[in-house]
Amino acid sequence: MIVFQTIAVALAMFSALPVPQFDWNEKNMRYALCAFPLVGVICGALWCLCGALPLPDAAHAAGFCLIPVWVTGGIHLDGYADTCDALASYGDTAKKLAILKDPHCGAFAIIRLCSYFAAYLMLCACIQFTPRTGVLWMLALMGERMLSGLAVAAFPLAKNTGLAHTFATAADRRTVCRVLAAGCLLWAVGILALGGWALLLAAGLVFAWYHRVAVRQFGGTTGDLAGWFLQKCELWMLAALAASQWLGVL
């Protein structure tokens, strides 16, 4: 029962999917970050379904672009937009954290979101769907969430409030780190076995960049920064996937 509740808590927080609602407590939140990658599995499965349907290329591209937004409800894009505003301020740490808390959307957030979707849609239009590509992208969507969950459990926290703080303090951080680190190793093996070394390289570089930005500019991670990382990682892995197909690696 606790396992089911843990999965439900993760899906309720990190997706827009209808799931049974439970009161969040110490038991069902302890390992909720470990269930976060399941959202990636769902996104990947729907992505494969879209690719397998006999649709025009433009419809495939639109589906590939919008499925993650529909499944997650845009929760990570919200963090991406807030972080873009904060980074564009070039203020000190306190100012950046204050911008993250501001519910209003600034001009830089709008500019970056428009640019993000233009790049994402273009890359989706470059993808030729195959079963191998579908499995590889499902692994990518899982892996970025493993890395995001690992960061929340392992990185210093910038604030003592917010989403990241809630999940980090409720988690058995040592066990969560071990489980997600082991999952990342298995994920890397699976990615490499399918020839997706470029995706793995992209994810690793963005993760290192995330740590640098979080620690140096914000004093640690937050829920918004976690969303920013996930969207950045997804875009760069998609670029790596498109480039691999174009170069004939996949």
Side-chain angles (χ1 to χ4, degrees), residues 10-11 14-15 17 34-48 67-68 71-72 76 134-146 187 230 234:
L11 293 180
F14 300 112
S15 81
L17 301 172
C34 296
F36 183 23
L38 293 176
V39 179
V41 175
I42 295 168
C43 289
L46 292 174
W47 199 89
C48 290
I67 281 170
V71 172
T72 63
H76 308 302
V135 173
L136 190 58
W137 191 241
M138 181 185 292
L139 287 175
L141 295 173
M142 288 174 56
E144 66 182 10
R145 287 166 172 80
M146 289 183 195
W187 167 68
L230 194 142
E234 191 166 314

PDB file of all heavy atoms in Angstrom, residues 10-11 14-15 17 34-48 67-68 71-72 76 134-146 187 230 234:
ATOM      1  N   ALA A  10       4.184  10.875  -6.198  1.00  0.00           N
ATOM      2  CA  ALA A  10       5.102  11.347  -7.245  1.00  0.00           C
ATOM      3  C   ALA A  10       4.340  11.773  -8.491  1.00  0.00           C
ATOM      4  O   ALA A  10       4.625  12.824  -9.084  1.00  0.00           O
ATOM      5  CB  ALA A  10       6.105  10.252  -7.584  1.00  0.00           C
ATOM      6  N   LEU A  11       3.365  10.979  -8.917  1.00  0.00           N
ATOM      7  CA  LEU A  11       2.590  11.311 -10.116  1.00  0.00           C
ATOM      8  C   LEU A  11       1.722  12.542  -9.883  1.00  0.00           C
ATOM      9  O   LEU A  11       1.540  13.366 -10.789  1.00  0.00           O
ATOM     10  CB  LEU A  11       1.728  10.123 -10.535  1.00  0.00           C
ATOM     11  CG  LEU A  11       2.464   8.879 -11.030  1.00  0.00           C
ATOM     12  CD1 LEU A  11       1.475   7.778 -11.408  1.00  0.00           C
ATOM     13  CD2 LEU A  11       3.357   9.209 -12.223  1.00  0.00           C
ATOM     14  N   PHE A  14       4.347  15.593  -9.910  1.00  0.00           N
ATOM     15  CA  PHE A  14       5.171  15.847 -11.089  1.00  0.00           C
ATOM     16  C   PHE A  14       4.458  15.580 -12.408  1.00  0.00           C
ATOM     17  O   PHE A  14       5.096  15.564 -13.457  1.00  0.00           O
ATOM     18  CB  PHE A  14       6.444  15.010 -11.024  1.00  0.00           C
ATOM     19  CG  PHE A  14       7.297  15.313  -9.821  1.00  0.00           C
ATOM     20  CD1 PHE A  14       7.462  14.381  -8.823  1.00  0.00           C
ATOM     21  CD2 PHE A  14       7.912  16.555  -9.700  1.00  0.00           C
ATOM     22  CE1 PHE A  14       8.248  14.668  -7.712  1.00  0.00           C
ATOM     23  CE2 PHE A  14       8.694  16.848  -8.595  1.00  0.00           C
ATOM     24  CZ  PHE A  14       8.856  15.903  -7.597  1.00  0.00           C
ATOM     25  N   SER A  15       3.153  15.356 -12.362  1.00  0.00           N
ATOM     26  CA  SER A  15       2.391  15.176 -13.602  1.00  0.00           C
ATOM     27  C   SER A  15       0.999  15.749 -13.418  1.00  0.00           C
ATOM     28  O   SER A  15       0.584  16.103 -12.308  1.00  0.00           O
ATOM     29  CB  SER A  15       2.319  13.693 -13.976  1.00  0.00           C
ATOM     30  OG  SER A  15       1.315  13.022 -13.238  1.00  0.00           O
ATOM     31  N   LEU A  17      -1.540  13.890 -14.472  1.00  0.00           N
ATOM     32  CA  LEU A  17      -2.355  12.690 -14.632  1.00  0.00           C
ATOM     33  C   LEU A  17      -3.319  12.524 -13.462  1.00  0.00           C
ATOM     34  O   LEU A  17      -2.962  12.823 -12.314  1.00  0.00           O
ATOM     35  CB  LEU A  17      -1.447  11.460 -14.737  1.00  0.00           C
ATOM     36  CG  LEU A  17      -0.447  11.460 -15.894  1.00  0.00           C
ATOM     37  CD1 LEU A  17       0.512  10.286 -15.757  1.00  0.00           C
ATOM     38  CD2 LEU A  17      -1.187  11.385 -17.224  1.00  0.00           C
ATOM     39  N   CYS A  34      12.222   8.608  -5.863  1.00  0.00           N
ATOM     40  CA  CYS A  34      12.606   7.400  -6.612  1.00  0.00           C
ATOM     41  C   CYS A  34      11.551   7.025  -7.640  1.00  0.00           C
ATOM     42  O   CYS A  34      11.849   6.329  -8.622  1.00  0.00           O
ATOM     43  CB  CYS A  34      12.836   6.232  -5.654  1.00  0.00           C
ATOM     44  SG  CYS A  34      14.212   6.472  -4.513  1.00  0.00           S
ATOM     45  N   ALA A  35      10.301   7.470  -7.406  1.00  0.00           N
ATOM     46  CA  ALA A  35       9.216   7.170  -8.350  1.00  0.00           C
ATOM     47  C   ALA A  35       9.075   8.240  -9.426  1.00  0.00           C
ATOM     48  O   ALA A  35       8.325   8.058 -10.391  1.00  0.00           O
ATOM     49  CB  ALA A  35       7.888   7.035  -7.590  1.00  0.00           C
ATOM     50  N   PHE A  36       9.805   9.338  -9.282  1.00  0.00           N
ATOM     51  CA  PHE A  36       9.748  10.431 -10.252  1.00  0.00           C
ATOM     52  C   PHE A  36      10.023   9.969 -11.685  1.00  0.00           C
ATOM     53  O   PHE A  36       9.337  10.394 -12.626  1.00  0.00           O
ATOM     54  CB  PHE A  36      10.726  11.513  -9.802  1.00  0.00           C
ATOM     55  CG  PHE A  36      10.757  12.758 -10.638  1.00  0.00           C
ATOM     56  CD1 PHE A  36       9.678  13.139 -11.439  1.00  0.00           C
ATOM     57  CD2 PHE A  36      11.877  13.591 -10.618  1.00  0.00           C
ATOM     58  CE1 PHE A  36       9.716  14.298 -12.204  1.00  0.00           C
ATOM     59  CE2 PHE A  36      11.922  14.748 -11.381  1.00  0.00           C
ATOM     60  CZ  PHE A  36      10.851  15.098 -12.175  1.00  0.00           C
ATOM     61  N   PRO A  37      11.002   9.069 -11.939  1.00  0.00           N
ATOM     62  CA  PRO A  37      11.261   8.630 -13.316  1.00  0.00           C
ATOM     63  C   PRO A  37      10.086   7.943 -14.007  1.00  0.00           C
ATOM     64  O   PRO A  37      10.068   7.836 -15.235  1.00  0.00           O
ATOM     65  CB  PRO A  37      12.444   7.669 -13.162  1.00  0.00           C
ATOM     66  CG  PRO A  37      13.144   8.124 -11.920  1.00  0.00           C
ATOM     67  CD  PRO A  37      12.037   8.567 -11.011  1.00  0.00           C
ATOM     68  N   LEU A  38       9.095   7.485 -13.231  1.00  0.00           N
ATOM     69  CA  LEU A  38       7.927   6.858 -13.850  1.00  0.00           C
ATOM     70  C   LEU A  38       7.174   7.839 -14.748  1.00  0.00           C
ATOM     71  O   LEU A  38       6.536   7.434 -15.721  1.00  0.00           O
ATOM     72  CB  LEU A  38       6.993   6.294 -12.781  1.00  0.00           C
ATOM     73  CG  LEU A  38       7.522   5.105 -11.973  1.00  0.00           C
ATOM     74  CD1 LEU A  38       6.524   4.717 -10.893  1.00  0.00           C
ATOM     75  CD2 LEU A  38       7.816   3.923 -12.884  1.00  0.00           C
ATOM     76  N   VAL A  39       7.250   9.126 -14.414  1.00  0.00           N
ATOM     77  CA  VAL A  39       6.630  10.123 -15.279  1.00  0.00           C
ATOM     78  C   VAL A  39       7.295  10.107 -16.651  1.00  0.00           C
ATOM     79  O   VAL A  39       6.645  10.246 -17.688  1.00  0.00           O
ATOM     80  CB  VAL A  39       6.725  11.531 -14.650  1.00  0.00           C
ATOM     81  CG1 VAL A  39       6.100  12.581 -15.569  1.00  0.00           C
ATOM     82  CG2 VAL A  39       6.059  11.550 -13.283  1.00  0.00           C
ATOM     83  N   GLY A  40       8.608   9.909 -16.665  1.00  0.00           N
ATOM     84  CA  GLY A  40       9.335   9.801 -17.923  1.00  0.00           C
ATOM     85  C   GLY A  40       8.927   8.580 -18.724  1.00  0.00           C
ATOM     86  O   GLY A  40       8.864   8.626 -19.963  1.00  0.00           O
ATOM     87  N   VAL A  41       8.646   7.480 -18.034  1.00  0.00           N
ATOM     88  CA  VAL A  41       8.185   6.266 -18.712  1.00  0.00           C
ATOM     89  C   VAL A  41       6.863   6.530 -19.425  1.00  0.00           C
ATOM     90  O   VAL A  41       6.665   6.132 -20.581  1.00  0.00           O
ATOM     91  CB  VAL A  41       8.028   5.101 -17.713  1.00  0.00           C
ATOM     92  CG1 VAL A  41       7.437   3.873 -18.401  1.00  0.00           C
ATOM     93  CG2 VAL A  41       9.377   4.752 -17.090  1.00  0.00           C
ATOM     94  N   ILE A  42       5.964   7.221 -18.751  1.00  0.00           N
ATOM     95  CA  ILE A  42       4.655   7.524 -19.332  1.00  0.00           C
ATOM     96  C   ILE A  42       4.806   8.454 -20.531  1.00  0.00           C
ATOM     97  O   ILE A  42       4.208   8.235 -21.593  1.00  0.00           O
ATOM     98  CB  ILE A  42       3.733   8.137 -18.260  1.00  0.00           C
ATOM     99  CG1 ILE A  42       3.454   7.122 -17.162  1.00  0.00           C
ATOM    100  CG2 ILE A  42       2.421   8.615 -18.889  1.00  0.00           C
ATOM    101  CD1 ILE A  42       2.791   7.713 -15.930  1.00  0.00           C
ATOM    102  N   CYS A  43       5.624   9.496 -20.371  1.00  0.00           N
ATOM    103  CA  CYS A  43       5.869  10.410 -21.495  1.00  0.00           C
ATOM    104  C   CYS A  43       6.466   9.653 -22.677  1.00  0.00           C
ATOM    105  O   CYS A  43       6.067   9.851 -23.831  1.00  0.00           O
ATOM    106  CB  CYS A  43       6.820  11.529 -21.078  1.00  0.00           C
ATOM    107  SG  CYS A  43       6.139  12.744 -19.942  1.00  0.00           S
ATOM    108  N   GLY A  44       7.434   8.781 -22.382  1.00  0.00           N
ATOM    109  CA  GLY A  44       8.086   8.025 -23.446  1.00  0.00           C
ATOM    110  C   GLY A  44       7.141   7.066 -24.139  1.00  0.00           C
ATOM    111  O   GLY A  44       7.200   6.905 -25.368  1.00  0.00           O
ATOM    112  N   ALA A  45       6.260   6.417 -23.381  1.00  0.00           N
ATOM    113  CA  ALA A  45       5.304   5.489 -23.979  1.00  0.00           C
ATOM    114  C   ALA A  45       4.350   6.218 -24.920  1.00  0.00           C
ATOM    115  O   ALA A  45       4.047   5.740 -26.025  1.00  0.00           O
ATOM    116  CB  ALA A  45       4.528   4.768 -22.875  1.00  0.00           C
ATOM    117  N   LEU A  46       3.871   7.393 -24.492  1.00  0.00           N
ATOM    118  CA  LEU A  46       2.971   8.175 -25.344  1.00  0.00           C
ATOM    119  C   LEU A  46       3.714   8.729 -26.555  1.00  0.00           C
ATOM    120  O   LEU A  46       3.150   8.842 -27.649  1.00  0.00           O
ATOM    121  CB  LEU A  46       2.351   9.314 -24.532  1.00  0.00           C
ATOM    122  CG  LEU A  46       1.375   8.879 -23.429  1.00  0.00           C
ATOM    123  CD1 LEU A  46       0.942  10.073 -22.594  1.00  0.00           C
ATOM    124  CD2 LEU A  46       0.157   8.188 -24.040  1.00  0.00           C
ATOM    125  N   TRP A  47       4.983   9.064 -26.371  1.00  0.00           N
ATOM    126  CA  TRP A  47       5.821   9.536 -27.473  1.00  0.00           C
ATOM    127  C   TRP A  47       5.948   8.445 -28.530  1.00  0.00           C
ATOM    128  O   TRP A  47       5.827   8.703 -29.728  1.00  0.00           O
ATOM    129  CB  TRP A  47       7.186   9.918 -26.904  1.00  0.00           C
ATOM    130  CG  TRP A  47       8.045  10.808 -27.736  1.00  0.00           C
ATOM    131  CD1 TRP A  47       8.054  12.164 -27.738  1.00  0.00           C
ATOM    132  CD2 TRP A  47       9.060  10.401 -28.665  1.00  0.00           C
ATOM    133  NE1 TRP A  47       9.011  12.637 -28.618  1.00  0.00           N
ATOM    134  CE2 TRP A  47       9.642  11.572 -29.201  1.00  0.00           C
ATOM    135  CE3 TRP A  47       9.539   9.165 -29.094  1.00  0.00           C
ATOM    136  CZ2 TRP A  47      10.678  11.543 -30.138  1.00  0.00           C
ATOM    137  CZ3 TRP A  47      10.559   9.126 -30.033  1.00  0.00           C
ATOM    138  CH2 TRP A  47      11.119  10.299 -30.538  1.00  0.00           C
ATOM    139  N   CYS A  48       6.165   7.206 -28.075  1.00  0.00           N
ATOM    140  CA  CYS A  48       6.267   6.073 -29.008  1.00  0.00           C
ATOM    141  C   CYS A  48       4.941   5.818 -29.713  1.00  0.00           C
ATOM    142  O   CYS A  48       4.913   5.509 -30.907  1.00  0.00           O
ATOM    143  CB  CYS A  48       6.709   4.815 -28.256  1.00  0.00           C
ATOM    144  SG  CYS A  48       8.416   4.865 -27.681  1.00  0.00           S
ATOM    145  N   ILE A  67       3.580  16.338 -26.008  1.00  0.00           N
ATOM    146  CA  ILE A  67       3.274  15.242 -25.072  1.00  0.00           C
ATOM    147  C   ILE A  67       3.886  15.481 -23.691  1.00  0.00           C
ATOM    148  O   ILE A  67       3.191  15.346 -22.664  1.00  0.00           O
ATOM    149  CB  ILE A  67       3.706  13.886 -25.663  1.00  0.00           C
ATOM    150  CG1 ILE A  67       2.661  13.417 -26.681  1.00  0.00           C
ATOM    151  CG2 ILE A  67       3.881  12.826 -24.573  1.00  0.00           C
ATOM    152  CD1 ILE A  67       3.081  12.219 -27.496  1.00  0.00           C
ATOM    153  N   PRO A  68       5.182  15.840 -23.582  1.00  0.00           N
ATOM    154  CA  PRO A  68       5.724  16.079 -22.232  1.00  0.00           C
ATOM    155  C   PRO A  68       5.022  17.216 -21.502  1.00  0.00           C
ATOM    156  O   PRO A  68       4.892  17.175 -20.271  1.00  0.00           O
ATOM    157  CB  PRO A  68       7.198  16.432 -22.517  1.00  0.00           C
ATOM    158  CG  PRO A  68       7.496  15.818 -23.838  1.00  0.00           C
ATOM    159  CD  PRO A  68       6.227  15.949 -24.618  1.00  0.00           C
ATOM    160  N   VAL A  71       1.553  15.814 -20.280  1.00  0.00           N
ATOM    161  CA  VAL A  71       1.682  14.847 -19.184  1.00  0.00           C
ATOM    162  C   VAL A  71       2.077  15.543 -17.885  1.00  0.00           C
ATOM    163  O   VAL A  71       1.540  15.243 -16.814  1.00  0.00           O
ATOM    164  CB  VAL A  71       2.699  13.745 -19.536  1.00  0.00           C
ATOM    165  CG1 VAL A  71       2.964  12.849 -18.314  1.00  0.00           C
ATOM    166  CG2 VAL A  71       2.187  12.899 -20.694  1.00  0.00           C
ATOM    167  N   THR A  72       3.004  16.486 -17.960  1.00  0.00           N
ATOM    168  CA  THR A  72       3.498  17.137 -16.743  1.00  0.00           C
ATOM    169  C   THR A  72       2.664  18.341 -16.325  1.00  0.00           C
ATOM    170  O   THR A  72       2.823  18.846 -15.211  1.00  0.00           O
ATOM    171  CB  THR A  72       4.950  17.612 -16.932  1.00  0.00           C
ATOM    172  OG1 THR A  72       4.994  18.606 -17.972  1.00  0.00           O
ATOM    173  CG2 THR A  72       5.861  16.444 -17.309  1.00  0.00           C
ATOM    174  N   HIS A  76       7.494  21.828 -14.963  1.00  0.00           N
ATOM    175  CA  HIS A  76       8.930  22.079 -15.111  1.00  0.00           C
ATOM    176  C   HIS A  76       9.185  23.331 -15.958  1.00  0.00           C
ATOM    177  O   HIS A  76      10.161  24.045 -15.738  1.00  0.00           O
ATOM    178  CB  HIS A  76       9.620  20.861 -15.729  1.00  0.00           C
ATOM    179  CG  HIS A  76       9.313  19.588 -15.015  1.00  0.00           C
ATOM    180  ND1 HIS A  76       9.576  19.410 -13.676  1.00  0.00           N
ATOM    181  CD2 HIS A  76       8.728  18.428 -15.446  1.00  0.00           C
ATOM    182  CE1 HIS A  76       9.182  18.197 -13.312  1.00  0.00           C
ATOM    183  NE2 HIS A  76       8.662  17.595 -14.361  1.00  0.00           N
ATOM    184  N   GLY A 134      12.518   5.308 -30.276  1.00  0.00           N
ATOM    185  CA  GLY A 134      11.495   5.429 -29.249  1.00  0.00           C
ATOM    186  C   GLY A 134      11.980   4.938 -27.897  1.00  0.00           C
ATOM    187  O   GLY A 134      11.778   5.597 -26.869  1.00  0.00           O
ATOM    188  N   VAL A 135      12.632   3.784 -27.869  1.00  0.00           N
ATOM    189  CA  VAL A 135      13.165   3.250 -26.612  1.00  0.00           C
ATOM    190  C   VAL A 135      14.249   4.164 -26.064  1.00  0.00           C
ATOM    191  O   VAL A 135      14.309   4.433 -24.851  1.00  0.00           O
ATOM    192  CB  VAL A 135      13.708   1.820 -26.812  1.00  0.00           C
ATOM    193  CG1 VAL A 135      14.417   1.325 -25.551  1.00  0.00           C
ATOM    194  CG2 VAL A 135      12.579   0.871 -27.192  1.00  0.00           C
ATOM    195  N   LEU A 136      15.098   4.646 -26.944  1.00  0.00           N
ATOM    196  CA  LEU A 136      16.182   5.530 -26.527  1.00  0.00           C
ATOM    197  C   LEU A 136      15.635   6.814 -25.907  1.00  0.00           C
ATOM    198  O   LEU A 136      16.135   7.281 -24.865  1.00  0.00           O
ATOM    199  CB  LEU A 136      17.062   5.853 -27.735  1.00  0.00           C
ATOM    200  CG  LEU A 136      18.383   6.583 -27.480  1.00  0.00           C
ATOM    201  CD1 LEU A 136      19.262   5.791 -26.524  1.00  0.00           C
ATOM    202  CD2 LEU A 136      19.112   6.816 -28.800  1.00  0.00           C
ATOM    203  N   TRP A 137      14.599   7.378 -26.518  1.00  0.00           N
ATOM    204  CA  TRP A 137      14.040   8.616 -25.983  1.00  0.00           C
ATOM    205  C   TRP A 137      13.279   8.364 -24.687  1.00  0.00           C
ATOM    206  O   TRP A 137      13.286   9.213 -23.782  1.00  0.00           O
ATOM    207  CB  TRP A 137      13.149   9.303 -27.010  1.00  0.00           C
ATOM    208  CG  TRP A 137      12.773  10.691 -26.584  1.00  0.00           C
ATOM    209  CD1 TRP A 137      11.520  11.163 -26.362  1.00  0.00           C
ATOM    210  CD2 TRP A 137      13.659  11.784 -26.319  1.00  0.00           C
ATOM    211  NE1 TRP A 137      11.570  12.480 -25.969  1.00  0.00           N
ATOM    212  CE2 TRP A 137      12.879  12.877 -25.938  1.00  0.00           C
ATOM    213  CE3 TRP A 137      15.052  11.914 -26.360  1.00  0.00           C
ATOM    214  CZ2 TRP A 137      13.436  14.109 -25.592  1.00  0.00           C
ATOM    215  CZ3 TRP A 137      15.605  13.148 -26.023  1.00  0.00           C
ATOM    216  CH2 TRP A 137      14.803  14.221 -25.641  1.00  0.00           C
ATOM    217  N   MET A 138      12.642   7.214 -24.550  1.00  0.00           N
ATOM    218  CA  MET A 138      12.003   6.885 -23.283  1.00  0.00           C
ATOM    219  C   MET A 138      13.045   6.819 -22.171  1.00  0.00           C
ATOM    220  O   MET A 138      12.830   7.336 -21.063  1.00  0.00           O
ATOM    221  CB  MET A 138      11.244   5.549 -23.375  1.00  0.00           C
ATOM    222  CG  MET A 138      10.533   5.178 -22.067  1.00  0.00           C
ATOM    223  SD  MET A 138       9.764   3.551 -22.105  1.00  0.00           S
ATOM    224  CE  MET A 138       8.449   3.827 -23.280  1.00  0.00           C
ATOM    225  N   LEU A 139      14.176   6.195 -22.456  1.00  0.00           N
ATOM    226  CA  LEU A 139      15.261   6.151 -21.472  1.00  0.00           C
ATOM    227  C   LEU A 139      15.756   7.559 -21.143  1.00  0.00           C
ATOM    228  O   LEU A 139      16.065   7.865 -19.984  1.00  0.00           O
ATOM    229  CB  LEU A 139      16.418   5.305 -22.001  1.00  0.00           C
ATOM    230  CG  LEU A 139      16.211   3.790 -22.035  1.00  0.00           C
ATOM    231  CD1 LEU A 139      17.395   3.099 -22.708  1.00  0.00           C
ATOM    232  CD2 LEU A 139      16.030   3.249 -20.614  1.00  0.00           C
ATOM    233  N   ALA A 140      15.832   8.412 -22.159  1.00  0.00           N
ATOM    234  CA  ALA A 140      16.273   9.787 -21.928  1.00  0.00           C
ATOM    235  C   ALA A 140      15.329  10.523 -20.986  1.00  0.00           C
ATOM    236  O   ALA A 140      15.772  11.218 -20.056  1.00  0.00           O
ATOM    237  CB  ALA A 140      16.378  10.531 -23.258  1.00  0.00           C
ATOM    238  N   LEU A 141      14.023  10.365 -21.198  1.00  0.00           N
ATOM    239  CA  LEU A 141      13.037  11.036 -20.349  1.00  0.00           C
ATOM    240  C   LEU A 141      13.054  10.480 -18.929  1.00  0.00           C
ATOM    241  O   LEU A 141      12.786  11.219 -17.970  1.00  0.00           O
ATOM    242  CB  LEU A 141      11.644  10.887 -20.967  1.00  0.00           C
ATOM    243  CG  LEU A 141      11.436  11.584 -22.312  1.00  0.00           C
ATOM    244  CD1 LEU A 141      10.078  11.225 -22.902  1.00  0.00           C
ATOM    245  CD2 LEU A 141      11.564  13.096 -22.167  1.00  0.00           C
ATOM    246  N   MET A 142      13.346   9.201 -18.793  1.00  0.00           N
ATOM    247  CA  MET A 142      13.522   8.621 -17.454  1.00  0.00           C
ATOM    248  C   MET A 142      14.787   9.156 -16.791  1.00  0.00           C
ATOM    249  O   MET A 142      14.785   9.563 -15.629  1.00  0.00           O
ATOM    250  CB  MET A 142      13.626   7.098 -17.541  1.00  0.00           C
ATOM    251  CG  MET A 142      12.369   6.351 -17.876  1.00  0.00           C
ATOM    252  SD  MET A 142      12.719   4.583 -18.096  1.00  0.00           S
ATOM    253  CE  MET A 142      13.485   4.172 -16.523  1.00  0.00           C
ATOM    254  N   GLY A 143      15.882   9.133 -17.552  1.00  0.00           N
ATOM    255  CA  GLY A 143      17.176   9.485 -16.996  1.00  0.00           C
ATOM    256  C   GLY A 143      17.259  10.913 -16.501  1.00  0.00           C
ATOM    257  O   GLY A 143      17.852  11.186 -15.456  1.00  0.00           O
ATOM    258  N   GLU A 144      16.670  11.845 -17.242  1.00  0.00           N
ATOM    259  CA  GLU A 144      16.732  13.240 -16.804  1.00  0.00           C
ATOM    260  C   GLU A 144      16.010  13.416 -15.468  1.00  0.00           C
ATOM    261  O   GLU A 144      16.411  14.250 -14.644  1.00  0.00           O
ATOM    262  CB  GLU A 144      16.141  14.160 -17.862  1.00  0.00           C
ATOM    263  CG  GLU A 144      14.659  13.993 -18.100  1.00  0.00           C
ATOM    264  CD  GLU A 144      14.132  14.897 -19.208  1.00  0.00           C
ATOM    265  OE1 GLU A 144      14.968  15.507 -19.901  1.00  0.00           O
ATOM    266  OE2 GLU A 144      12.898  14.983 -19.374  1.00  0.00           O
ATOM    267  N   ARG A 145      14.987  12.618 -15.234  1.00  0.00           N
ATOM    268  CA  ARG A 145      14.268  12.698 -13.963  1.00  0.00           C
ATOM    269  C   ARG A 145      15.033  12.010 -12.841  1.00  0.00           C
ATOM    270  O   ARG A 145      14.938  12.425 -11.677  1.00  0.00           O
ATOM    271  CB  ARG A 145      12.857  12.113 -14.130  1.00  0.00           C
ATOM    272  CG  ARG A 145      11.956  13.049 -14.920  1.00  0.00           C
ATOM    273  CD  ARG A 145      10.687  12.408 -15.409  1.00  0.00           C
ATOM    274  NE  ARG A 145       9.779  13.406 -15.983  1.00  0.00           N
ATOM    275  CZ  ARG A 145       9.891  13.918 -17.213  1.00  0.00           C
ATOM    276  NH1 ARG A 145      10.864  13.482 -18.019  1.00  0.00           N
ATOM    277  NH2 ARG A 145       9.049  14.834 -17.649  1.00  0.00           N
ATOM    278  N   MET A 146      15.794  10.960 -13.164  1.00  0.00           N
ATOM    279  CA  MET A 146      16.685  10.379 -12.164  1.00  0.00           C
ATOM    280  C   MET A 146      17.718  11.408 -11.716  1.00  0.00           C
ATOM    281  O   MET A 146      17.982  11.579 -10.523  1.00  0.00           O
ATOM    282  CB  MET A 146      17.396   9.151 -12.729  1.00  0.00           C
ATOM    283  CG  MET A 146      16.524   7.939 -12.934  1.00  0.00           C
ATOM    284  SD  MET A 146      17.519   6.546 -13.528  1.00  0.00           S
ATOM    285  CE  MET A 146      16.249   5.439 -14.113  1.00  0.00           C
ATOM    286  N   TRP A 187      20.940   3.208 -16.275  1.00  0.00           N
ATOM    287  CA  TRP A 187      20.441   4.020 -17.381  1.00  0.00           C
ATOM    288  C   TRP A 187      21.549   4.312 -18.384  1.00  0.00           C
ATOM    289  O   TRP A 187      21.347   4.208 -19.599  1.00  0.00           O
ATOM    290  CB  TRP A 187      19.870   5.322 -16.818  1.00  0.00           C
ATOM    291  CG  TRP A 187      19.601   6.381 -17.830  1.00  0.00           C
ATOM    292  CD1 TRP A 187      18.646   6.365 -18.799  1.00  0.00           C
ATOM    293  CD2 TRP A 187      20.294   7.631 -17.973  1.00  0.00           C
ATOM    294  NE1 TRP A 187      18.698   7.539 -19.528  1.00  0.00           N
ATOM    295  CE2 TRP A 187      19.689   8.320 -19.043  1.00  0.00           C
ATOM    296  CE3 TRP A 187      21.336   8.236 -17.279  1.00  0.00           C
ATOM    297  CZ2 TRP A 187      20.123   9.591 -19.444  1.00  0.00           C
ATOM    298  CZ3 TRP A 187      21.763   9.491 -17.680  1.00  0.00           C
ATOM    299  CH2 TRP A 187      21.165  10.146 -18.757  1.00  0.00           C
ATOM    300  N   LEU A 230      15.752  20.217 -15.872  1.00  0.00           N
ATOM    301  CA  LEU A 230      15.089  19.150 -16.619  1.00  0.00           C
ATOM    302  C   LEU A 230      14.781  19.590 -18.043  1.00  0.00           C
ATOM    303  O   LEU A 230      14.987  18.837 -18.992  1.00  0.00           O
ATOM    304  CB  LEU A 230      13.814  18.727 -15.885  1.00  0.00           C
ATOM    305  CG  LEU A 230      13.201  17.409 -16.362  1.00  0.00           C
ATOM    306  CD1 LEU A 230      12.649  16.618 -15.173  1.00  0.00           C
ATOM    307  CD2 LEU A 230      12.083  17.657 -17.357  1.00  0.00           C
ATOM    308  N   GLU A 234      16.509  18.054 -21.382  1.00  0.00           N
ATOM    309  CA  GLU A 234      15.668  17.452 -22.409  1.00  0.00           C
ATOM    310  C   GLU A 234      15.951  18.051 -23.780  1.00  0.00           C
ATOM    311  O   GLU A 234      16.046  17.329 -24.787  1.00  0.00           O
ATOM    312  CB  GLU A 234      14.197  17.643 -22.034  1.00  0.00           C
ATOM    313  CG  GLU A 234      13.224  16.852 -22.873  1.00  0.00           C
ATOM    314  CD  GLU A 234      11.838  16.820 -22.253  1.00  0.00           C
ATOM    315  OE1 GLU A 234      11.731  16.574 -21.033  1.00  0.00           O
ATOM    316  OE2 GLU A 234      10.866  17.047 -22.990  1.00  0.00           O
TER     317      GLU A 234
END
